[in-house]
């Protein structure tokens, strides 16, 4: 992005209050075409509100807003409303405001790209399918600025990687709120950090955020000392908590490497003794054991001949596409579900803590205090009594929030409270189903630390690659065909191993093709897809229609009296003509690319 390029959208000296409390104070920001911006901030800092301001969905109290004439801004909410539509494709098509019959192919392209079940009824669609449809609904509008609020929630890793490619190739500007650090690192070129009513702006992506944040925090500490100001409770946590956790990262990494080596030896031992039960100390460490387990629903195999042994202290991530059977595997491991064949056993006196992503255990009318401590003011946590307010502070809640009802908390705060509730109870086995949804990045740091110090066994279902790499000792990968791969190490290493395994299985002629197909940023396509064929057929007529419109506008502009009669009309036609010419150029380029591809196939 050229440094001297003019912004297409700006906020200047913007302030916004909720009641008497300032949410934003004197914020200035600029957005340029092509910017890929990650918007960072703790839960409650106003990230979603800022997106709504940019989208024009919320008024500001003071300040100036500038946007280029005719600019189109599209906002995708965390929870999009699909009610009133029969199918997912019908909802996607509703994003086309005009010329729906001529541009339906755009929906087909996005459905193909994101692997959406277009004919799926909205009322029966899963959270992941609805999220993909919401993304397609936003993208089909072809905005100049695309605003995405937690777009990776409910998406599996494969779809997240597809979304990364779409955003990288998107010609307009994108602003993203997400807790998924790997996703932000891969797509962002700029960073906006909301912190206590102010905004910090960096012209580098999220990959540089930690060092940049630390520089700002250290500078603030110096300024506060110079001004002899008392550090407030919230600021104290930010200064001490973030930096302290960062300094402990290396120790946690060394511990994780040691645990992975230990897990490798465990798996080798299991293979050597052919899953026969050990005696003595090893047996006492057993949490769950599966031998040659099969499970099907109808004709579909979910688990096929799977054997493993989970020991005390193991931290295991379960990954795979949505619908692959991750929840079924958890139920088999915990004996909530019996296998069709095979053997499953779990330890006696197993004390399980279960994190439900739907938060069904929280009563919205109860206060945070009563949720954790129904009687009195102290709770017994991991061998000692803690005052309930002190314990809440461990999970980033303030003293004032202790007596607030659960119902007023944000999604991320509810998840944080769920974790505090689960971890306050005795357990030696944690089952965490998507614990990272709606959590801000600082809370993810906290959760990683809590799980690192937890001496029990942890089973985690998550699509957050960075979180899994920092917490999980090993991974169970479910491809969706019944086979389960057990891998010790990171998700990236797992995918690389899968590619190498697939390469070995291929005949010599196919190996070279697979090598080319699996190279990063290399897409070799020998023939046109259905949607591309459809595009190639429709593009000439679309270009002709746009060209005729452009000719009519040029005729109007040739009228020398137009400017004198109506300057506003002259400006409007000029802008419209410019947009039409851009569209014609884009469609002509696409048509040429498809023609070349068709001739080579």
């Amino acid at each position: 992005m050229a440094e001297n390029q003019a912004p297409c959208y700006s906020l200047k000296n913007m302030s916004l209050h909720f009641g008497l409390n300032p949410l934003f104070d004197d914020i200035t920001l600029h957005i340029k075409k092509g910017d890929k911006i990650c918007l960072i901030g703790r839960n409650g800092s106003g990230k979603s509100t800022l997106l709504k301001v940019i989208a024009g969905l919320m008024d500001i109290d003071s300040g100036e807003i500038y946007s280029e004439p005719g600019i189109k801004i599209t906002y995708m909410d965390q929870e999009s409303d699909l009610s009133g539509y029969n199918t997912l494709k019908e909802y996607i098509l509703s994003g086309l405001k005009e010329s729906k019959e001529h541009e339906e192919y755009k929906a087909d392209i996005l459905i193909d790209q994101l692997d959406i079940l277009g004919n799926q009824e909205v009322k029966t669609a899963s959270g992941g399918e609805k999220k993909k449809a919401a993304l397609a609904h936003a993208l089909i509008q072809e905005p100049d600025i695309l605003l995405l609020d937690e777009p990776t929630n409910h998406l599996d890793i494969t779809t997240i990687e597809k979304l990364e490619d779409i955003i990288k190739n998107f010609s307009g500007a994108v602003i993203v709120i997400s807790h998924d650090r790997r996703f932000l690192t891969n797509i962002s070129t700029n960073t906006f950090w909301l912190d206590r009513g102010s905004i910090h702006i960096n012209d580098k992506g999220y990959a540089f955020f930690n060092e940049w944040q630390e520089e700002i925090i250290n500078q603030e500490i110096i300024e506060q000392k110079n001004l002899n100001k008392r550090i407030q409770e919230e600021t104290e946590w930010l200064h001490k908590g973030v930096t302290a956790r960062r300094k402990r990262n290396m120790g946690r990494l060394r511990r994780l490497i040691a645990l992975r080596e230990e897990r490798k030896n465990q798996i080798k031992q299991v293979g050597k003794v052919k899953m026969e039960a050990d005696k003595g100390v090893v047996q006492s460490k057993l949490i769950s054991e599966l031998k040659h387990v099969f499970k099907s629903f109808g004709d579909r195999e979910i688990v096929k001949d799977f054997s493993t042994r989970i020991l005390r202290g193991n931290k295991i991530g379960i990954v795979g596409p949505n619908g692959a059977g991750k929840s079924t595997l958890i139920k088999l491991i915990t004996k909530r579900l019996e296998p069709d064949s095979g053997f499953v056993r779990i330890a006696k006196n197993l004390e399980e803590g279960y994190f439900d992503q739907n938060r069904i255990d929280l009563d919205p009318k109860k206060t945070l205090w009563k949720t954790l401590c129904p009687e009195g003011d102290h709770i017994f946590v991991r061998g000692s009594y803690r005052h309930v307010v002190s314990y809440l502070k461990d999970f980033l809640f303030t003293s004032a929030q202790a007596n607030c009802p659960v119902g007023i908390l944000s999604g991320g705060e509810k998840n944080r409270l769920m974790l505090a509730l689960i971890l306050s109870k005795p357990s030696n086995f944690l089952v965490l189903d998507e614990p990272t949804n709606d959590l801000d990045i600082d809370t993810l740091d906290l959760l990683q630390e809590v799980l690192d110090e937890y001496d029990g066994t942890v089973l985690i279902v998550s699509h957050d690659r960075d979180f899994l790499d920092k917490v999980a000792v090993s991974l169970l990968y479910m491809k969706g065909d019944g086979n389960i791969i057990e891998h010790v190490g990171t998700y990236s290493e797992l995918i690389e191993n899968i590619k190498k395994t697939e390469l070995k299985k291929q005949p010599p002629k196919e190996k070279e093709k697979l090598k080319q197909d699996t190279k990063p940023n290399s897409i070799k396509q020998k023939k046109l897809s259905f949607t591309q064929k459809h595009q190639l057929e429709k593009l000439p007529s679309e270009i002709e229609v746009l060209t005729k419109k452009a000719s009519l506008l040029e005729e109007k502009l040739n009228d020398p009296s137009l400017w004198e009669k109506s300057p506003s009309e002259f400006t409007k036609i000029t802008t419209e003509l410019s947009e039409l010419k851009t569209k014609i150029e884009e469609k002509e380029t696409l048509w040429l690319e498809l023609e070349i591809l068709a001739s080579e196939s």
Side-chain angles (χ1 to χ4, degrees):
M1 194 59 50
E3 291 184 6
N4 58 353
Q5 180 181 327
C8 58
Y9 180 95
S10 296
L11 282 175
K12 187 176 180 182
N13 306 125
M14 185 271 285
S15 296
L16 179 63
H17 292 68
F18 283 156
L20 298 175
N21 300 316
L23 181 62
F24 302 131
D25 184 24
D26 197 28
I27 281 181
T28 295
L29 60 85
H30 305 287
I31 303 168
K32 298 177 182 178
K33 183 180 179 182
D35 282 349
K36 305 295 186 291
I37 300 164
C38 61
L39 180 56
I40 307 297
R42 292 175 61 188
N43 288 338
S45 62
K47 299 187 295 295
S48 296
T49 302
L50 181 57
L51 288 194
K52 289 175 183 175
V53 167
I54 295 171
L57 301 175
M58 185 171 288
D59 294 329
I60 60 176
D61 294 331
S62 62
E64 298 176 18
I65 298 176
Y66 164 79
S67 61
E68 283 185 350
I71 195 168
K72 184 187 291 185
I73 302 175
T74 298
Y75 170 62
M76 191 197 80
D77 204 341
Q78 284 190 38
E79 298 295 334
S80 301
D81 183 11
L82 277 66
S83 60
Y85 299 95
N86 295 317
T87 66
L88 296 178
K89 184 173 181 178
E90 185 180 317
Y91 172 66
I92 294 167
L93 285 169
S94 69
L96 293 171
K97 305 303 180 186
E98 298 174 359
S99 306
K100 188 180 294 186
E101 65 278 5
H102 299 297
E103 297 186 326
E104 190 170 330
Y105 72 90
K106 294 178 181 178
D108 293 330
I109 292 171
L110 290 165
I111 286 170
D112 186 45
Q113 275 185 309
L114 293 169
D115 196 22
I116 300 170
L117 301 173
N119 295 323
Q120 174 85 43
E121 291 186 4
V122 168
K123 60 184 178 183
T124 59
S126 67
E129 286 298 322
K130 288 179 180 177
K131 178 65 77 171
K132 289 192 286 186
L135 284 165
H137 178 268
L139 289 163
I140 203 171
Q141 298 175 50
E142 299 179 336
D144 302 289
I145 300 177
L146 177 62
L147 310 174
L148 300 176
D149 197 344
E150 292 289 0
T152 62
N153 276 359
H154 307 296
L155 296 185
D156 57 39
I157 295 174
T158 302
T159 308
I160 292 171
E161 290 172 341
K162 290 178 181 177
L163 180 58
E164 288 176 357
D165 289 335
I166 289 171
I167 290 175
K168 287 174 187 175
N169 295 321
F170 185 74
S171 60
V174 183
I175 305 182
V176 177
I177 298 171
S178 179
H179 64 271
D180 188 327
R181 284 177 277 204
R182 184 72 55 80
F183 173 72
L184 293 179
T185 298
N186 290 345
I187 62 99
S188 62
T189 60
N190 305 71
T191 304
F192 290 175
W193 175 30
L194 281 176
D195 175 37
R196 291 160 287 159
S198 299
I199 191 166
H200 303 281
I201 294 174
N202 191 9
D203 60 359
K204 294 180 180 179
Y206 183 75
F208 303 90
F209 176 69
N210 286 345
E211 294 82 359
W212 176 58
Q213 183 191 40
E214 193 123 12
E215 288 175 10
I216 293 172
I217 289 172
N218 290 336
Q219 184 59 38
E220 284 190 2
I221 292 173
I222 294 169
E223 290 173 1
Q224 285 168 341
K225 285 180 178 177
N226 290 341
L227 295 171
N228 198 26
K229 286 185 176 179
R230 178 181 174 273
I231 299 176
Q232 297 177 351
E233 182 182 71
E234 181 184 5
T235 312
E236 185 176 3
W237 179 88
L238 179 67
H239 288 165
K240 294 183 179 178
V242 173
T243 53
R245 287 192 179 92
R246 296 263 163 75
K247 289 173 183 175
R248 287 197 290 271
N249 274 349
M250 290 308 297
R252 286 164 54 185
L253 179 59
R254 285 191 291 271
R255 174 176 162 78
L256 188 60
I257 292 170
L259 287 172
R260 282 179 174 154
E261 190 62 34
E262 184 180 334
R263 183 62 180 159
K264 282 180 183 176
N265 294 330
Q266 289 171 359
I267 292 172
K268 287 178 184 176
Q269 185 181 25
V270 167
K272 185 178 179 181
V273 300
K274 296 182 180 178
M275 301 300 292
E276 291 178 4
D278 293 328
K279 295 180 181 179
V281 177
V282 175
Q283 188 174 10
S284 69
K285 290 182 179 180
L286 185 71
I287 297 297
S288 180
E289 182 178 24
L290 288 76
K291 288 184 180 181
H292 305 295
V293 168
F294 287 79
K295 186 65 185 178
S296 299
F297 292 116
D299 296 331
R300 187 177 169 220
E301 284 186 307
I302 304 297
V303 177
K304 182 165 61 179
D305 194 19
F306 179 59
S307 301
T308 192
R309 177 183 287 163
I310 298 172
L311 303 182
R312 189 177 70 231
N314 289 163
K315 294 178 175 65
I316 299 173
I318 301 178
V319 296
N322 287 335
K326 297 186 291 293
S327 297
T328 300
L329 181 59
I330 283 179
K331 290 174 183 176
L332 289 168
I333 291 171
T334 58
K335 291 207 75 172
R336 285 181 169 84
L337 185 66
E338 290 297 321
D340 297 335
S341 63
F343 169 79
V344 179
R345 66 168 172 159
I346 59 174
K348 294 179 181 178
N349 304 319
L350 199 61
E351 294 180 294
E352 183 184 288
Y354 183 76
F355 179 92
D356 172 32
Q357 62 174 308
N358 297 316
R359 303 185 284 262
I360 58 175
D361 291 336
L362 295 181
D363 183 345
K365 296 179 182 177
K366 279 188 178 181
T367 64
L368 278 67
W369 184 310
K370 292 299 181 184
T371 297
L372 293 175
C373 187
E375 302 293 335
D377 55 9
H378 280 73
I379 53 176
F380 192 72
V381 181
R382 295 191 288 277
S384 62
Y385 281 97
R386 297 280 306 278
H387 194 281
V388 63
V389 174
S390 173
Y391 182 64
L392 279 168
K393 286 181 179 179
D394 286 352
F395 291 84
L396 316 183
F397 292 105
T398 63
S399 305
Q401 286 178 295
N403 290 305
C404 293
V406 170
I408 70 168
L409 299 179
S410 68
E413 288 170 329
K414 287 176 182 175
N415 272 12
R416 216 189 301 156
L417 182 61
M418 271 289 294
L419 290 167
L421 179 62
I422 291 165
L423 294 167
S424 70
K425 297 175 180 177
S427 71
N428 51 24
F429 186 32
L430 288 179
V431 180
L432 306 177
D433 184 7
E434 289 290 356
T436 62
N437 280 353
D438 300 317
L439 295 183
D440 59 40
I441 289 171
D442 288 336
T443 309
L444 280 173
D445 280 339
L446 173 70
L447 178 57
Q448 288 170 9
E449 184 173 327
V450 168
L451 293 179
D452 177 62
E453 295 174 353
Y454 182 73
D455 57 6
T457 302
V458 184
L459 207 58
I460 312 164
V461 176
S462 179
H463 300 302
D464 189 321
R465 294 157 291 177
D466 185 80
F467 176 76
L468 287 171
D469 284 354
K470 291 178 179 176
V471 171
V473 172
S474 62
L475 300 171
L476 297 176
Y477 175 71
M478 304 184 74
K479 190 175 180 179
D481 59 1
N483 292 305
I484 300 173
I485 298 171
E486 185 160 13
H487 169 77
V488 179
T490 67
Y491 175 79
S492 300
E493 292 166 349
L494 166 67
I495 297 303
E496 189 63 31
N497 287 347
I498 290 171
K499 288 178 181 178
K500 287 178 181 177
T501 303
E502 290 176 351
L503 188 62
K504 288 178 182 178
K505 293 178 181 178
Q506 297 296 325
K509 288 183 180 179
E510 293 293 322
K511 284 186 179 182
E512 187 59 34
K513 180 179 181 298
L514 188 61
K515 281 181 182 177
Q516 293 173 358
D517 290 345
T518 55
K519 282 181 182 178
N521 303 320
S522 139
I523 301 173
K524 302 282 184 181
Q525 188 169 353
K526 295 297 182 184
K527 61 180 182 179
L528 295 176
S529 67
F530 168 79
T531 51
Q532 287 174 322
K533 288 178 181 176
H534 183 76
Q535 278 182 287
L536 189 56
E537 292 171 1
K538 293 286 185 182
L539 278 169
S541 60
E542 290 172 6
I543 292 169
E544 185 180 355
V545 169
L546 292 174
T547 303
K548 286 180 179 178
K549 286 184 179 178
S551 297
L552 291 172
L553 292 176
E554 284 175 342
E555 286 180 14
K556 291 182 180 180
L557 288 175
N558 287 334
D559 180 0
S561 63
L562 178 61
W563 170 255
E564 295 177 1
K565 291 178 182 176
S566 177
S568 60
E569 181 70 11
F570 181 88
T571 303
K572 180 183 175 183
I573 293 173
T574 302
T575 303
E576 190 177 349
L577 180 60
S578 175
E579 291 173 353
L580 273 174
K581 286 183 176 179
T582 301
K583 285 184 180 179
I584 291 168
E585 185 179 345
E586 288 173 352
K587 289 184 182 292
E588 286 177 341
T589 301
L590 178 59
W591 176 78
L592 182 61
E593 290 172 354
L594 293 176
E595 276 286 336
I596 293 170
L597 190 59
S599 65
E600 291 176 349
S601 60

